[in-house]
Structure formats: structure tokens, C-alpha cells
Amino acid sequence: MRGGKVKKSLLEIAVGAAVGLINGLLGGGGGMLCVPLLSEVLGEDVKVSHATTVLVIFPVCLVAAVVYTVCGHTQLPSTYFVMAGATAGGVLGSLLLKAAPPVAVRSFFALVVAAAGVGMIWR
């Protein structure tokens, strides 16, 4: 049984490394990778995967934000307004996650990912 725990821990570390790499490289997007990895690879419930992703991404984003800011890659004045809106949206979204059925959460996530992908292709 101990070997199974070690294997799961190593898999969790690998998932985290992949998420951090994508988030650091692209300035975001780690959450888009984290959700399916948590639910499909690690077998977490879809709602748990979404909620855990926010917690996982927070320190990754914080570190990346400091590095980007130090390197001069951010526009701080406009950032404050976006942060205010994102914070309000985050509160609303977390309340909606609690009330939404798992199939609706999974479907909405798939639509958002697909729309993002199509939008990037057409640019």
C-alpha cells in the first residue's frame, strides 16, 4: 500500500509541474490544464477539481506575477481595475460552482476551453 501512496504522490507532483510550467510559460492557462489532469488523471470529482485548481494556481500566479512585474512586463495601473472585476467574478463563480450540477460545470468548462481555442486559431 505504501508503494501506491508514493506513486500517487509522484503523479501529483508531475501534474503540478506540468501546470506550473504552462502557467509560467504562457502567463496563465495552467488552470485549463489543471482541471482535466485533476479529474481525469487523479480521479478527483469535477467540482473538487475546479475548486482545487484555484488553490493550486494561486501561488503559481503570485510567483509569476512578481517575476513578470520585476521584468517590466505588466501594466500596473490597468491591472488594479481588472483585479477588482476578477475578484468579484471569482466570488460569484465560486458560489455558482457550489450550486451547479457537475455535468453543467464540465460542459461549461468544455465550452470555454473550446471557445478559447477557436478564438486563438482565428487570430
Side-chain angles (χ1 to χ4, degrees):
M1 184 161 151
R2 181 159 158 68
K5 235 179 167 181
V6 169
K7 185 177 178 183
K8 184 175 184 205
S9 294
L10 291 174
L11 187 58
E12 291 167 341
I13 291 168
V15 164
V19 168
L21 177 69
I22 294 301
N23 212 70
L25 180 65
L26 302 178
M32 294 280 192
L33 179 64
C34 192
V35 169
L37 287 176
L38 287 175
S39 61
E40 302 302 321
V41 174
L42 297 179
E44 295 292 342
D45 173 75
V46 67
K47 287 185 174 186
V48 170
S49 296
H50 285 274
T52 302
T53 292
V54 174
L55 189 58
V56 167
I57 292 298
F58 175 70
V60 174
C61 288
L62 187 60
V63 169
V66 169
V67 172
Y68 288 144
T69 302
V70 167
C71 292
H73 298 299
T74 57
Q75 297 290 331
L76 285 181
S78 62
T79 301
Y80 302 126
F81 293 108
V82 174
M83 283 192 313
T87 300
V91 170
L92 179 60
S94 63
L95 293 172
L96 288 172
L97 177 67
K98 184 176 181 179
V103 68
V105 174
R106 186 181 301 273
S107 298
F108 184 68
F109 181 73
L111 285 172
V112 169
V113 171
V118 169
M120 294 181 81
I121 289 170
W122 289 115
R123 285 188 171 202

